[in-house]
Amino acid sequence: MGNEEEVLVSMVMEEVMSYLREQVFPRTAAHHNRSTQAWIRLLSEVYREACQQVKAAVAVLKEELSLCHSDLEKQISAGQQQASLLQENIAHTITEDMCGLMLQSLLHVIIPRLDRTLQEVATPICDGFASTRQYFLETCDNIIDQGSKGRSMKEVLRPLSGLGPDDTRMWQCLARLEMSSEGRAWLQEAWGVHTGAWRPLALKAQNALYKVVDMCAVMFRRLVSRYPCCSLDRSQLGAVLCRVRDRVVKQLDTELLAVRSQLILESILQLTLPTFTQSVGAQDLSRYDAMVTSDQAVFIHSDIIFHCILRDSMACHIQSVMRYSLPQQCVPLPASPSNLSSCSSDFSEFVCQDLLPPGDRQQNLCQTSEGSASGSDTLTPSTLSEQDAPLCLAVVKEPVTKENHAPTLLDAGEYIHLTES
C-alpha cells in the first residue's frame, strides 16, 4: 500500500530482508541484550537508504518516460495525420472512379422506391412517438390535478409509475411503433428483406422510446424533490408542478425529435443499404490497396473505405428525402459517424447536380441549403409543448423550381426545418 516509491521500497526491503538477517546482522558488534534495538536500527538505516535510492531512480525514470512519451506522441500524431490523409485520398479516388456507377444505382434502384419506404417506416414511428408524448402530457396533468387536491407527495407522483413497462397504456403506445403487415409485405418485396428483420427494428425503436420516457420521469421526480413541498399550500404546489412539467416536456420534445429522426434514418439504411451495395456490385479494389504501405495495411483497408462511402452516400440521400418529405418540426438529423463524409460530399454534389433541372444546376449548393433553411418555419421544443395534436405523415410533392431546389445529399450536421402537415 502507498504511492509508487513506497511500494518499490517495500519490495526492495522484502528482497534484502533475508540477507540482512543472515549475513549482515550477525557481524554487528551488538550486545545480546540489545540485539532487538540493533536490528531495528539496522532496518531503519537500510530503509532510509533504500528510500533515497528509489526516490532518485524513480525521478530519473519519470524524466526518461516523459521524454519517451513526448516523442511517442509526436510520432503517433504524425502517423495519424499521414494515415488520415492517405485514407481521405483513397476515399476521394474511389468516389471519383465510381461516382457514375453509384449515381446510376441511386437513380434506377433506390430513388423510385424511397418515398414509399419512408412512408412505411416513418408512419408507425411518428404515430408511436406522438401517442407516447400525449400519454406523458396526460400523466403530467394528472400529477398537477392530484397536487391541487392537497394529496401527499407520494400520491401526487404515483401516476409516474404508470409509465413503467407493466402499464397497459404504455405498451399500447409502444406497440404503435410496429409496422403494419401490408407495409412489411411491401418492404419485403421491394428490398428483399428477411422476415426476421422486422422484430429487431421494432424492439430497437421501443427500447429507445421507453428510455426517453423513463429519463423524463426520473427528471420530473428529481426536480420536484428540490422544492420543500411539505411547506407549500395547494396553489403554490400547483405552480411548482406546472413549472416542472413545462421544463420536463421541453426536454422530452428535444429528445423525442432527435431519437425519432435517428430511428427513421437507421431503419431505412438497414433496409436499403444491402440493395444499394448489391446494385453497385463487387469492385476490384486492388489498385487502391497499392496506395497503402505494408505498415499502414494493418489499419487501412480499401474495402472498408468503399463500404463507408456507400453508407455515407446512402445516408445523405435519405436525410435529404426526410427533410423534404416529412412534415415534422425542426428535426436535427444525426451526423454521419464516418470520417469520410468530406469525400462523400463530392459524390453528393455530383448526384445533386444530375437530379436538378438544367436551369438550376448553376445554383450554388450553399445557397440552396441556406434558402431552404431560411424559407421554412422553425418550431422549437418549447412551442411544441403547447401542441398536443399527433403528427401525421404525408409526402410533400412539389415541383422543383428555382425557389424550391432539390436537396443536397450532404446536410448531416444541419438542423432540418420542416413544417407540420
Side-chain angles (χ1 to χ4, degrees), residues 50-154:
C51 286
Q52 294 177 359
Q53 295 187 16
V54 167
K55 184 177 181 180
V58 168
V60 173
L61 180 60
K62 287 184 175 180
E63 184 177 357
E64 294 178 354
L65 288 177
S66 177
L67 295 176
C68 293
H69 185 71
S70 178
D71 294 339
L72 187 60
E73 281 186 341
K74 293 179 181 178
Q75 294 177 7
I76 292 176
S77 177
Q80 286 179 340
Q81 292 179 1
Q82 184 179 3
S84 178
L85 291 175
L86 177 60
Q87 188 172 349
E88 291 180 3
N89 187 25
I90 294 175
H92 183 76
T93 305
I94 293 177
T95 302
E96 286 185 342
D97 294 345
M98 302 184 184
C99 177
L101 181 60
M102 291 188 287
L103 175 60
Q104 292 301 317
S105 298
L106 271 178
L107 290 175
H108 300 292
V109 179
I110 303 299
I111 293 178
R113 293 174 282 180
L114 195 55
D115 283 342
R116 173 71 183 274
T117 302
L118 180 61
Q119 278 191 326
E120 298 295 346
V121 172
T123 298
I125 292 179
C126 292
D127 189 19
F129 274 58
S131 60
T132 303
R133 179 183 183 275
Q134 179 63 30
Y135 182 35
F136 190 88
L137 292 178
E138 294 175 2
T139 302
C140 292
D141 293 339
N142 190 11
I143 291 174
I144 296 174
D145 182 64
Q146 294 294 329
S148 62
K149 294 180 180 179
R151 304 290 177 84
S152 64
M153 187 54 58
K154 184 178 181 180

Side-chain angles (χ1 to χ4, degrees), residues 155 242 256 364:
E155 294 179 348
C242 287
L256 288 181
N364 186 276

Side-chain angles (χ1 to χ4, degrees), residues 20-21 23-32 34-35 38-39 41-42:
L20 293 175
R21 183 183 296 108
Q23 302 294 331
V24 178
F25 183 69
R27 291 181 291 179
T28 59
H31 192 272
H32 180 71
R34 298 180 180 178
S35 60
W39 172 247
R41 205 161 37 242
L42 175 62

Side-chain angles (χ1 to χ4, degrees), residues 132 135 162-164 167-175 209-210 213:
T132 303
Y135 182 35
L163 300 173
D167 181 64
T168 304
R169 173 78 180 275
M170 188 65 187
W171 273 113
Q172 291 175 351
C173 296
L174 295 177
L209 179 56
Y210 177 73
V213 174

Side-chain angles (χ1 to χ4, degrees), residues 4 61 63 72 144 175 207 220 225 227 234-235 256 260 264-265 283 312 317 329-330 333 344 404 414:
E4 298 174 348
L61 180 60
E63 184 177 357
L72 187 60
I144 296 174
N207 182 59
F220 198 106
S225 65
Y227 294 91
R234 296 181 181 182
S235 60
L256 288 181
R260 180 174 59 185
I264 295 175
L265 175 62
Q283 302 295 321
D312 290 347
H317 187 70
Q329 284 78 7
C330 178
L333 288 179
S344 301
N404 182 23
E414 181 184 356

